[in-house]
Every structure is written in structure tokens, then in C-alpha cells.
Amino acid sequence: MAGSNHGHTPAAWTGVIIAFIGFCAAGAFMVMDQPVGFWASMGVVLLGGVVGTIMRSMGMGQPKDAHPVHRTTGDSATAGAQG
């Protein structure tokens, strides 16, 4: 994944940061035995995914054509020439 620059975009960072904050808050509310706060924090986790998706659709994510086609173990130059 590092070779394809996976996840290094404003959309990815923003979505993950929002979801991480929601996750941390949900953990705190769970320890404090506050179910309403826990579920509200889980809503924040989901909001992170929504915000990341919206930002990607606005062009702040990695374009689809930037993903290189990765070879699998069975792929090779000679295998393509044979078949």
C-alpha cells in the first residue's frame, strides 16, 4: 500500500481523525457507564466515514486512476506471453 500512496489525502486524514475522536469518546463513555454518550460517540465514528466520502467526491481524495494495477504472485511477463 505504501507504494500506491494509499490514504495520504485530506479526505482520508479528516475521516480517520473524526472517527478516532469518536472512538476515544465512545471508550470513555463506556467506562463511565453512559450509554447515551456512547451511542452519540458511535454516531461521530460514522460521521467520520460520511465526511471522508463527501470530501473524496469533492476531489480531495485519491483519484481512481492513481491506483496502479498490482501484480499477483502468478503474474509474470512470461505467463502473459504463453496464453
Side-chain angles (χ1 to χ4, degrees), residues 16-74:
V16 167
I17 289 170
I18 292 171
F20 181 71
I21 291 169
F23 178 78
C24 290
F29 281 118
M30 185 169 53
V31 170
M32 292 186 291
D33 194 25
Q34 299 290 325
V36 174
F38 170 79
W39 288 112
S41 298
M42 292 307 290
V44 173
V45 171
L46 294 175
L47 180 67
V50 171
V51 168
T53 302
I54 291 171
M55 288 179 71
R56 184 180 65 191
S57 69
M58 293 172 51
M60 299 174 123
Q62 190 169 6
K64 290 192 182 293
D65 59 351
H67 296 286
V69 176
H70 296 287
R71 289 186 160 184
T72 59
T73 306

Side-chain angles (χ1 to χ4, degrees), residues 78-83:
T78 58
Q82 292 175 357

